[in-house]
PDB file of all heavy atoms in Angstrom:
ATOM      1  N   ASP A 798      -8.733 -14.369  -5.930  1.00  0.00           N
ATOM      2  CA  ASP A 798      -8.908 -14.362  -4.469  1.00  0.00           C
ATOM      3  C   ASP A 798      -8.353 -13.072  -3.869  1.00  0.00           C
ATOM      4  O   ASP A 798      -8.940 -12.488  -2.950  1.00  0.00           O
ATOM      5  CB  ASP A 798      -8.209 -15.568  -3.846  1.00  0.00           C
ATOM      6  CG  ASP A 798      -9.013 -16.848  -3.974  1.00  0.00           C
ATOM      7  OD1 ASP A 798     -10.145 -16.785  -4.510  1.00  0.00           O
ATOM      8  OD2 ASP A 798      -8.523 -17.915  -3.556  1.00  0.00           O
ATOM      9  N   ILE A 799      -7.209 -12.639  -4.381  1.00  0.00           N
ATOM     10  CA  ILE A 799      -6.608 -11.396  -3.889  1.00  0.00           C
ATOM     11  C   ILE A 799      -7.519 -10.215  -4.205  1.00  0.00           C
ATOM     12  O   ILE A 799      -7.766  -9.345  -3.345  1.00  0.00           O
ATOM     13  CB  ILE A 799      -5.210 -11.188  -4.522  1.00  0.00           C
ATOM     14  CG1 ILE A 799      -4.260 -12.319  -4.124  1.00  0.00           C
ATOM     15  CG2 ILE A 799      -4.626  -9.838  -4.107  1.00  0.00           C
ATOM     16  CD1 ILE A 799      -2.957 -12.330  -4.911  1.00  0.00           C
ATOM     17  N   MET A 800      -8.045 -10.175  -5.396  1.00  0.00           N
ATOM     18  CA  MET A 800      -8.934  -9.079  -5.804  1.00  0.00           C
ATOM     19  C   MET A 800     -10.195  -9.041  -4.945  1.00  0.00           C
ATOM     20  O   MET A 800     -10.615  -7.978  -4.485  1.00  0.00           O
ATOM     21  CB  MET A 800      -9.278  -9.226  -7.291  1.00  0.00           C
ATOM     22  CG  MET A 800      -8.080  -9.081  -8.214  1.00  0.00           C
ATOM     23  SD  MET A 800      -8.391  -9.639  -9.914  1.00  0.00           S
ATOM     24  CE  MET A 800      -9.531  -8.394 -10.476  1.00  0.00           C
ATOM     25  N   GLN A 801     -10.797 -10.196  -4.747  1.00  0.00           N
ATOM     26  CA  GLN A 801     -12.019 -10.261  -3.946  1.00  0.00           C
ATOM     27  C   GLN A 801     -11.764  -9.823  -2.508  1.00  0.00           C
ATOM     28  O   GLN A 801     -12.573  -9.121  -1.894  1.00  0.00           O
ATOM     29  CB  GLN A 801     -12.583 -11.685  -3.979  1.00  0.00           C
ATOM     30  CG  GLN A 801     -13.808 -11.912  -3.111  1.00  0.00           C
ATOM     31  CD  GLN A 801     -15.040 -11.178  -3.614  1.00  0.00           C
ATOM     32  OE1 GLN A 801     -15.053 -10.685  -4.748  1.00  0.00           O
ATOM     33  NE2 GLN A 801     -16.070 -11.098  -2.774  1.00  0.00           N
ATOM     34  N   GLU A 802     -10.628 -10.204  -1.948  1.00  0.00           N
ATOM     35  CA  GLU A 802     -10.276  -9.825  -0.571  1.00  0.00           C
ATOM     36  C   GLU A 802     -10.122  -8.319  -0.441  1.00  0.00           C
ATOM     37  O   GLU A 802     -10.614  -7.697   0.514  1.00  0.00           O
ATOM     38  CB  GLU A 802      -8.986 -10.528  -0.164  1.00  0.00           C
ATOM     39  CG  GLU A 802      -8.495 -10.228   1.236  1.00  0.00           C
ATOM     40  CD  GLU A 802      -9.360 -10.843   2.322  1.00  0.00           C
ATOM     41  OE1 GLU A 802     -10.047 -11.846   2.040  1.00  0.00           O
ATOM     42  OE2 GLU A 802      -9.347 -10.325   3.453  1.00  0.00           O
ATOM     43  N   ILE A 803      -9.419  -7.696  -1.400  1.00  0.00           N
ATOM     44  CA  ILE A 803      -9.236  -6.243  -1.359  1.00  0.00           C
ATOM     45  C   ILE A 803     -10.582  -5.538  -1.525  1.00  0.00           C
ATOM     46  O   ILE A 803     -10.880  -4.550  -0.845  1.00  0.00           O
ATOM     47  CB  ILE A 803      -8.247  -5.797  -2.459  1.00  0.00           C
ATOM     48  CG1 ILE A 803      -6.867  -6.423  -2.236  1.00  0.00           C
ATOM     49  CG2 ILE A 803      -8.130  -4.270  -2.498  1.00  0.00           C
ATOM     50  CD1 ILE A 803      -5.898  -6.195  -3.379  1.00  0.00           C
ATOM     51  N   LEU A 804     -11.398  -6.044  -2.430  1.00  0.00           N
ATOM     52  CA  LEU A 804     -12.682  -5.425  -2.727  1.00  0.00           C
ATOM     53  C   LEU A 804     -13.602  -5.395  -1.515  1.00  0.00           C
ATOM     54  O   LEU A 804     -14.316  -4.410  -1.283  1.00  0.00           O
ATOM     55  CB  LEU A 804     -13.352  -6.181  -3.878  1.00  0.00           C
ATOM     56  CG  LEU A 804     -14.698  -5.650  -4.377  1.00  0.00           C
ATOM     57  CD1 LEU A 804     -14.514  -4.301  -5.060  1.00  0.00           C
ATOM     58  CD2 LEU A 804     -15.349  -6.656  -5.325  1.00  0.00           C
ATOM     59  N   THR A 805     -13.586  -6.427  -0.714  1.00  0.00           N
ATOM     60  CA  THR A 805     -14.526  -6.531   0.411  1.00  0.00           C
ATOM     61  C   THR A 805     -13.939  -6.124   1.756  1.00  0.00           C
ATOM     62  O   THR A 805     -14.661  -5.625   2.625  1.00  0.00           O
ATOM     63  CB  THR A 805     -15.047  -7.973   0.524  1.00  0.00           C
ATOM     64  OG1 THR A 805     -13.939  -8.871   0.702  1.00  0.00           O
ATOM     65  CG2 THR A 805     -15.808  -8.372  -0.716  1.00  0.00           C
ATOM     66  N   SER A 806     -12.608  -6.315   1.948  1.00  0.00           N
ATOM     67  CA  SER A 806     -12.046  -6.123   3.291  1.00  0.00           C
ATOM     68  C   SER A 806     -10.890  -5.141   3.358  1.00  0.00           C
ATOM     69  O   SER A 806     -10.409  -4.838   4.447  1.00  0.00           O
ATOM     70  CB  SER A 806     -11.580  -7.480   3.862  1.00  0.00           C
ATOM     71  OG  SER A 806     -12.646  -8.407   3.870  1.00  0.00           O
ATOM     72  N   GLY A 807     -10.380  -4.685   2.209  1.00  0.00           N
ATOM     73  CA  GLY A 807      -9.317  -3.693   2.242  1.00  0.00           C
ATOM     74  C   GLY A 807      -7.975  -4.224   1.787  1.00  0.00           C
ATOM     75  O   GLY A 807      -7.838  -5.396   1.396  1.00  0.00           O
ATOM     76  N   PRO A 808      -6.940  -3.373   1.803  1.00  0.00           N
ATOM     77  CA  PRO A 808      -5.609  -3.733   1.321  1.00  0.00           C
ATOM     78  C   PRO A 808      -5.055  -4.991   1.974  1.00  0.00           C
ATOM     79  O   PRO A 808      -5.392  -5.330   3.114  1.00  0.00           O
ATOM     80  CB  PRO A 808      -4.764  -2.509   1.689  1.00  0.00           C
ATOM     81  CG  PRO A 808      -5.741  -1.376   1.672  1.00  0.00           C
ATOM     82  CD  PRO A 808      -7.015  -1.955   2.214  1.00  0.00           C
ATOM     83  N   VAL A 809      -4.177  -5.676   1.226  1.00  0.00           N
ATOM     84  CA  VAL A 809      -3.535  -6.897   1.692  1.00  0.00           C
ATOM     85  C   VAL A 809      -2.022  -6.706   1.666  1.00  0.00           C
ATOM     86  O   VAL A 809      -1.502  -5.767   1.063  1.00  0.00           O
ATOM     87  CB  VAL A 809      -3.937  -8.106   0.821  1.00  0.00           C
ATOM     88  CG1 VAL A 809      -5.440  -8.365   0.920  1.00  0.00           C
ATOM     89  CG2 VAL A 809      -3.519  -7.887  -0.639  1.00  0.00           C
ATOM     90  N   GLN A 810      -1.341  -7.607   2.327  1.00  0.00           N
ATOM     91  CA  GLN A 810       0.118  -7.567   2.390  1.00  0.00           C
ATOM     92  C   GLN A 810       0.696  -8.521   1.343  1.00  0.00           C
ATOM     93  O   GLN A 810       0.276  -9.671   1.242  1.00  0.00           O
ATOM     94  CB  GLN A 810       0.592  -7.977   3.781  1.00  0.00           C
ATOM     95  CG  GLN A 810       2.105  -7.916   3.981  1.00  0.00           C
ATOM     96  CD  GLN A 810       2.484  -8.387   5.379  1.00  0.00           C
ATOM     97  OE1 GLN A 810       2.041  -9.435   5.830  1.00  0.00           O
ATOM     98  NE2 GLN A 810       3.294  -7.598   6.067  1.00  0.00           N
ATOM     99  N   ALA A 811       1.669  -8.040   0.576  1.00  0.00           N
ATOM    100  CA  ALA A 811       2.314  -8.871  -0.441  1.00  0.00           C
ATOM    101  C   ALA A 811       3.825  -8.773  -0.303  1.00  0.00           C
ATOM    102  O   ALA A 811       4.360  -7.721   0.074  1.00  0.00           O
ATOM    103  CB  ALA A 811       1.890  -8.438  -1.844  1.00  0.00           C
ATOM    104  N   THR A 812       4.492  -9.866  -0.598  1.00  0.00           N
ATOM    105  CA  THR A 812       5.951  -9.917  -0.556  1.00  0.00           C
ATOM    106  C   THR A 812       6.456 -10.330  -1.931  1.00  0.00           C
ATOM    107  O   THR A 812       5.908 -11.250  -2.538  1.00  0.00           O
ATOM    108  CB  THR A 812       6.432 -10.911   0.510  1.00  0.00           C
ATOM    109  OG1 THR A 812       5.953 -10.491   1.789  1.00  0.00           O
ATOM    110  CG2 THR A 812       7.939 -10.986   0.554  1.00  0.00           C
ATOM    111  N   PHE A 813       7.482  -9.661  -2.423  1.00  0.00           N
ATOM    112  CA  PHE A 813       8.012  -9.999  -3.747  1.00  0.00           C
ATOM    113  C   PHE A 813       9.535  -9.912  -3.749  1.00  0.00           C
ATOM    114  O   PHE A 813      10.140  -9.279  -2.885  1.00  0.00           O
ATOM    115  CB  PHE A 813       7.418  -9.085  -4.825  1.00  0.00           C
ATOM    116  CG  PHE A 813       7.833  -7.640  -4.728  1.00  0.00           C
ATOM    117  CD1 PHE A 813       8.769  -7.108  -5.596  1.00  0.00           C
ATOM    118  CD2 PHE A 813       7.278  -6.797  -3.772  1.00  0.00           C
ATOM    119  CE1 PHE A 813       9.149  -5.778  -5.521  1.00  0.00           C
ATOM    120  CE2 PHE A 813       7.640  -5.462  -3.682  1.00  0.00           C
ATOM    121  CZ  PHE A 813       8.581  -4.953  -4.568  1.00  0.00           C
ATOM    122  N   ARG A 814      10.113 -10.556  -4.746  1.00  0.00           N
ATOM    123  CA  ARG A 814      11.565 -10.580  -4.883  1.00  0.00           C
ATOM    124  C   ARG A 814      12.034  -9.313  -5.590  1.00  0.00           C
ATOM    125  O   ARG A 814      11.463  -8.906  -6.604  1.00  0.00           O
ATOM    126  CB  ARG A 814      12.013 -11.803  -5.668  1.00  0.00           C
ATOM    127  CG  ARG A 814      13.527 -11.942  -5.776  1.00  0.00           C
ATOM    128  CD  ARG A 814      13.934 -13.266  -6.393  1.00  0.00           C
ATOM    129  NE  ARG A 814      15.379 -13.370  -6.477  1.00  0.00           N
ATOM    130  CZ  ARG A 814      16.022 -14.436  -6.943  1.00  0.00           C
ATOM    131  NH1 ARG A 814      15.335 -15.493  -7.367  1.00  0.00           N
ATOM    132  NH2 ARG A 814      17.333 -14.459  -6.991  1.00  0.00           N
ATOM    133  N   VAL A 815      13.086  -8.683  -5.067  1.00  0.00           N
ATOM    134  CA  VAL A 815      13.562  -7.402  -5.584  1.00  0.00           C
ATOM    135  C   VAL A 815      14.873  -7.584  -6.343  1.00  0.00           C
ATOM    136  O   VAL A 815      15.776  -8.294  -5.891  1.00  0.00           O
ATOM    137  CB  VAL A 815      13.757  -6.391  -4.428  1.00  0.00           C
ATOM    138  CG1 VAL A 815      14.391  -5.101  -4.941  1.00  0.00           C
ATOM    139  CG2 VAL A 815      12.416  -6.086  -3.766  1.00  0.00           C
ATOM    140  N   TYR A 816      14.940  -6.917  -7.497  1.00  0.00           N
ATOM    141  CA  TYR A 816      16.149  -6.864  -8.312  1.00  0.00           C
ATOM    142  C   TYR A 816      16.649  -5.423  -8.368  1.00  0.00           C
ATOM    143  O   TYR A 816      15.951  -4.484  -7.987  1.00  0.00           O
ATOM    144  CB  TYR A 816      15.867  -7.379  -9.721  1.00  0.00           C
ATOM    145  CG  TYR A 816      15.432  -8.822  -9.771  1.00  0.00           C
ATOM    146  CD1 TYR A 816      14.104  -9.174  -9.597  1.00  0.00           C
ATOM    147  CD2 TYR A 816      16.356  -9.837  -9.993  1.00  0.00           C
ATOM    148  CE1 TYR A 816      13.697 -10.501  -9.646  1.00  0.00           C
ATOM    149  CE2 TYR A 816      15.966 -11.167 -10.053  1.00  0.00           C
ATOM    150  CZ  TYR A 816      14.638 -11.492  -9.872  1.00  0.00           C
ATOM    151  OH  TYR A 816      14.234 -12.807  -9.915  1.00  0.00           O
ATOM    152  N   GLN A 817      17.850  -5.248  -8.882  1.00  0.00           N
ATOM    153  CA  GLN A 817      18.496  -3.935  -8.889  1.00  0.00           C
ATOM    154  C   GLN A 817      17.661  -2.881  -9.611  1.00  0.00           C
ATOM    155  O   GLN A 817      17.575  -1.739  -9.152  1.00  0.00           O
ATOM    156  CB  GLN A 817      19.875  -4.039  -9.542  1.00  0.00           C
ATOM    157  CG  GLN A 817      20.653  -2.729  -9.587  1.00  0.00           C
ATOM    158  CD  GLN A 817      21.963  -2.861 -10.329  1.00  0.00           C
ATOM    159  OE1 GLN A 817      22.173  -3.820 -11.072  1.00  0.00           O
ATOM    160  NE2 GLN A 817      22.855  -1.905 -10.148  1.00  0.00           N
ATOM    161  N   ASP A 818      17.014  -3.239 -10.712  1.00  0.00           N
ATOM    162  CA  ASP A 818      16.315  -2.228 -11.495  1.00  0.00           C
ATOM    163  C   ASP A 818      15.113  -1.643 -10.766  1.00  0.00           C
ATOM    164  O   ASP A 818      14.703  -0.511 -11.042  1.00  0.00           O
ATOM    165  CB  ASP A 818      15.904  -2.787 -12.861  1.00  0.00           C
ATOM    166  CG  ASP A 818      15.001  -4.018 -12.752  1.00  0.00           C
ATOM    167  OD1 ASP A 818      14.764  -4.492 -11.620  1.00  0.00           O
ATOM    168  OD2 ASP A 818      14.554  -4.509 -13.802  1.00  0.00           O
ATOM    169  N   PHE A 819      14.540  -2.361  -9.811  1.00  0.00           N
ATOM    170  CA  PHE A 819      13.352  -1.866  -9.107  1.00  0.00           C
ATOM    171  C   PHE A 819      13.644  -0.583  -8.330  1.00  0.00           C
ATOM    172  O   PHE A 819      12.766   0.285  -8.199  1.00  0.00           O
ATOM    173  CB  PHE A 819      12.810  -2.939  -8.159  1.00  0.00           C
ATOM    174  CG  PHE A 819      11.584  -2.511  -7.397  1.00  0.00           C
ATOM    175  CD1 PHE A 819      10.359  -2.403  -8.034  1.00  0.00           C
ATOM    176  CD2 PHE A 819      11.657  -2.191  -6.046  1.00  0.00           C
ATOM    177  CE1 PHE A 819       9.225  -1.984  -7.342  1.00  0.00           C
ATOM    178  CE2 PHE A 819      10.529  -1.777  -5.351  1.00  0.00           C
ATOM    179  CZ  PHE A 819       9.315  -1.674  -6.001  1.00  0.00           C
ATOM    180  N   PHE A 820      14.854  -0.430  -7.815  1.00  0.00           N
ATOM    181  CA  PHE A 820      15.189   0.765  -7.039  1.00  0.00           C
ATOM    182  C   PHE A 820      15.087   2.029  -7.895  1.00  0.00           C
ATOM    183  O   PHE A 820      14.889   3.123  -7.365  1.00  0.00           O
ATOM    184  CB  PHE A 820      16.597   0.645  -6.459  1.00  0.00           C
ATOM    185  CG  PHE A 820      16.722  -0.371  -5.366  1.00  0.00           C
ATOM    186  CD1 PHE A 820      17.155  -1.661  -5.639  1.00  0.00           C
ATOM    187  CD2 PHE A 820      16.399  -0.054  -4.056  1.00  0.00           C
ATOM    188  CE1 PHE A 820      17.264  -2.612  -4.631  1.00  0.00           C
ATOM    189  CE2 PHE A 820      16.507  -0.993  -3.045  1.00  0.00           C
ATOM    190  CZ  PHE A 820      16.935  -2.278  -3.332  1.00  0.00           C
ATOM    191  N   SER A 821      15.226   1.895  -9.216  1.00  0.00           N
ATOM    192  CA  SER A 821      15.204   3.055 -10.115  1.00  0.00           C
ATOM    193  C   SER A 821      13.844   3.270 -10.776  1.00  0.00           C
ATOM    194  O   SER A 821      13.723   4.111 -11.659  1.00  0.00           O
ATOM    195  CB  SER A 821      16.280   2.889 -11.205  1.00  0.00           C
ATOM    196  OG  SER A 821      17.565   2.778 -10.623  1.00  0.00           O
ATOM    197  N   TYR A 822      12.831   2.525 -10.360  1.00  0.00           N
ATOM    198  CA  TYR A 822      11.492   2.662 -10.955  1.00  0.00           C
ATOM    199  C   TYR A 822      10.968   4.085 -10.781  1.00  0.00           C
ATOM    200  O   TYR A 822      11.063   4.666  -9.701  1.00  0.00           O
ATOM    201  CB  TYR A 822      10.535   1.670 -10.291  1.00  0.00           C
ATOM    202  CG  TYR A 822       9.072   1.885 -10.638  1.00  0.00           C
ATOM    203  CD1 TYR A 822       8.511   1.270 -11.752  1.00  0.00           C
ATOM    204  CD2 TYR A 822       8.265   2.696  -9.846  1.00  0.00           C
ATOM    205  CE1 TYR A 822       7.163   1.469 -12.072  1.00  0.00           C
ATOM    206  CE2 TYR A 822       6.928   2.898 -10.154  1.00  0.00           C
ATOM    207  CZ  TYR A 822       6.380   2.282 -11.262  1.00  0.00           C
ATOM    208  OH  TYR A 822       5.063   2.476 -11.574  1.00  0.00           O
ATOM    209  N   GLU A 823      10.401   4.630 -11.870  1.00  0.00           N
ATOM    210  CA  GLU A 823       9.789   5.957 -11.808  1.00  0.00           C
ATOM    211  C   GLU A 823       8.300   5.898 -12.103  1.00  0.00           C
ATOM    212  O   GLU A 823       7.485   6.461 -11.351  1.00  0.00           O
ATOM    213  CB  GLU A 823      10.454   6.907 -12.795  1.00  0.00           C
ATOM    214  CG  GLU A 823       9.839   8.294 -12.794  1.00  0.00           C
ATOM    215  CD  GLU A 823      10.466   9.226 -13.811  1.00  0.00           C
ATOM    216  OE1 GLU A 823      10.834   8.751 -14.913  1.00  0.00           O
ATOM    217  OE2 GLU A 823      10.596  10.425 -13.518  1.00  0.00           O
ATOM    218  N   SER A 824       7.905   5.232 -13.178  1.00  0.00           N
ATOM    219  CA  SER A 824       6.492   5.205 -13.552  1.00  0.00           C
ATOM    220  C   SER A 824       6.251   4.069 -14.534  1.00  0.00           C
ATOM    221  O   SER A 824       7.192   3.520 -15.124  1.00  0.00           O
ATOM    222  CB  SER A 824       6.080   6.541 -14.180  1.00  0.00           C
ATOM    223  OG  SER A 824       6.834   6.777 -15.365  1.00  0.00           O
ATOM    224  N   GLY A 825       4.957   3.727 -14.720  1.00  0.00           N
ATOM    225  CA  GLY A 825       4.584   2.668 -15.648  1.00  0.00           C
ATOM    226  C   GLY A 825       4.284   1.366 -14.927  1.00  0.00           C
ATOM    227  O   GLY A 825       4.219   1.321 -13.699  1.00  0.00           O
ATOM    228  N   VAL A 826       4.092   0.321 -15.715  1.00  0.00           N
ATOM    229  CA  VAL A 826       3.803  -1.003 -15.162  1.00  0.00           C
ATOM    230  C   VAL A 826       5.112  -1.789 -15.123  1.00  0.00           C
ATOM    231  O   VAL A 826       5.662  -2.163 -16.151  1.00  0.00           O
ATOM    232  CB  VAL A 826       2.743  -1.741 -15.999  1.00  0.00           C
ATOM    233  CG1 VAL A 826       2.483  -3.130 -15.422  1.00  0.00           C
ATOM    234  CG2 VAL A 826       1.448  -0.931 -16.039  1.00  0.00           C
ATOM    235  N   TYR A 827       5.591  -2.031 -13.908  1.00  0.00           N
ATOM    236  CA  TYR A 827       6.909  -2.647 -13.732  1.00  0.00           C
ATOM    237  C   TYR A 827       6.907  -4.135 -14.048  1.00  0.00           C
ATOM    238  O   TYR A 827       5.961  -4.861 -13.716  1.00  0.00           O
ATOM    239  CB  TYR A 827       7.375  -2.447 -12.286  1.00  0.00           C
ATOM    240  CG  TYR A 827       8.659  -3.191 -11.952  1.00  0.00           C
ATOM    241  CD1 TYR A 827       9.898  -2.680 -12.326  1.00  0.00           C
ATOM    242  CD2 TYR A 827       8.623  -4.426 -11.298  1.00  0.00           C
ATOM    243  CE1 TYR A 827      11.070  -3.359 -12.041  1.00  0.00           C
ATOM    244  CE2 TYR A 827       9.794  -5.114 -11.009  1.00  0.00           C
ATOM    245  CZ  TYR A 827      11.014  -4.575 -11.383  1.00  0.00           C
ATOM    246  OH  TYR A 827      12.172  -5.267 -11.102  1.00  0.00           O
ATOM    247  N   ARG A 828       7.955  -4.555 -14.693  1.00  0.00           N
ATOM    248  CA  ARG A 828       8.342  -5.962 -14.763  1.00  0.00           C
ATOM    249  C   ARG A 828       9.852  -5.999 -14.806  1.00  0.00           C
ATOM    250  O   ARG A 828      10.499  -5.100 -15.360  1.00  0.00           O
ATOM    251  CB  ARG A 828       7.734  -6.682 -15.959  1.00  0.00           C
ATOM    252  CG  ARG A 828       8.143  -6.181 -17.327  1.00  0.00           C
ATOM    253  CD  ARG A 828       7.339  -6.896 -18.401  1.00  0.00           C
ATOM    254  NE  ARG A 828       7.609  -6.380 -19.725  1.00  0.00           N
ATOM    255  CZ  ARG A 828       8.467  -6.951 -20.601  1.00  0.00           C
ATOM    256  NH1 ARG A 828       9.120  -8.052 -20.262  1.00  0.00           N
ATOM    257  NH2 ARG A 828       8.649  -6.427 -21.797  1.00  0.00           N
ATOM    258  N   HIS A 829      10.411  -7.012 -14.212  1.00  0.00           N
ATOM    259  CA  HIS A 829      11.869  -7.106 -14.092  1.00  0.00           C
ATOM    260  C   HIS A 829      12.525  -7.105 -15.470  1.00  0.00           C
ATOM    261  O   HIS A 829      12.148  -7.888 -16.348  1.00  0.00           O
ATOM    262  CB  HIS A 829      12.213  -8.374 -13.320  1.00  0.00           C
ATOM    263  CG  HIS A 829      13.667  -8.723 -13.328  1.00  0.00           C
ATOM    264  ND1 HIS A 829      14.662  -7.790 -13.105  1.00  0.00           N
ATOM    265  CD2 HIS A 829      14.307  -9.902 -13.548  1.00  0.00           C
ATOM    266  CE1 HIS A 829      15.831  -8.390 -13.178  1.00  0.00           C
ATOM    267  NE2 HIS A 829      15.646  -9.653 -13.453  1.00  0.00           N
ATOM    268  N   SER A 830      13.485  -6.205 -15.672  1.00  0.00           N
ATOM    269  CA  SER A 830      14.180  -6.101 -16.949  1.00  0.00           C
ATOM    270  C   SER A 830      15.374  -7.047 -16.978  1.00  0.00           C
ATOM    271  O   SER A 830      15.875  -7.465 -15.929  1.00  0.00           O
ATOM    272  CB  SER A 830      14.666  -4.665 -17.155  1.00  0.00           C
ATOM    273  OG  SER A 830      15.798  -4.401 -16.332  1.00  0.00           O
ATOM    274  N   PRO A 831      15.873  -7.382 -18.165  1.00  0.00           N
ATOM    275  CA  PRO A 831      17.068  -8.241 -18.241  1.00  0.00           C
ATOM    276  C   PRO A 831      18.340  -7.517 -17.853  1.00  0.00           C
ATOM    277  O   PRO A 831      19.396  -8.131 -17.767  1.00  0.00           O
ATOM    278  CB  PRO A 831      17.105  -8.647 -19.722  1.00  0.00           C
ATOM    279  CG  PRO A 831      16.386  -7.557 -20.436  1.00  0.00           C
ATOM    280  CD  PRO A 831      15.311  -7.087 -19.493  1.00  0.00           C
ATOM    281  N   PHE A 832      18.253  -6.193 -17.590  1.00  0.00           N
ATOM    282  CA  PHE A 832      19.455  -5.417 -17.285  1.00  0.00           C
ATOM    283  C   PHE A 832      19.751  -5.353 -15.791  1.00  0.00           C
ATOM    284  O   PHE A 832      20.862  -5.012 -15.403  1.00  0.00           O
ATOM    285  CB  PHE A 832      19.309  -3.986 -17.822  1.00  0.00           C
ATOM    286  CG  PHE A 832      18.761  -3.917 -19.209  1.00  0.00           C
ATOM    287  CD1 PHE A 832      17.568  -3.277 -19.466  1.00  0.00           C
ATOM    288  CD2 PHE A 832      19.434  -4.516 -20.262  1.00  0.00           C
ATOM    289  CE1 PHE A 832      17.046  -3.218 -20.747  1.00  0.00           C
ATOM    290  CE2 PHE A 832      18.926  -4.467 -21.554  1.00  0.00           C
ATOM    291  CZ  PHE A 832      17.730  -3.820 -21.784  1.00  0.00           C
TER     292      PHE A 832
END
């Protein structure tokens, strides 16, 4: 549903939970680390 909405009508708003490691993200496909 999210993909179809973006494809036809444009970007959507998403909210997610943030952990400490996210602030240091540089590149790649993020997933929360155990650190």
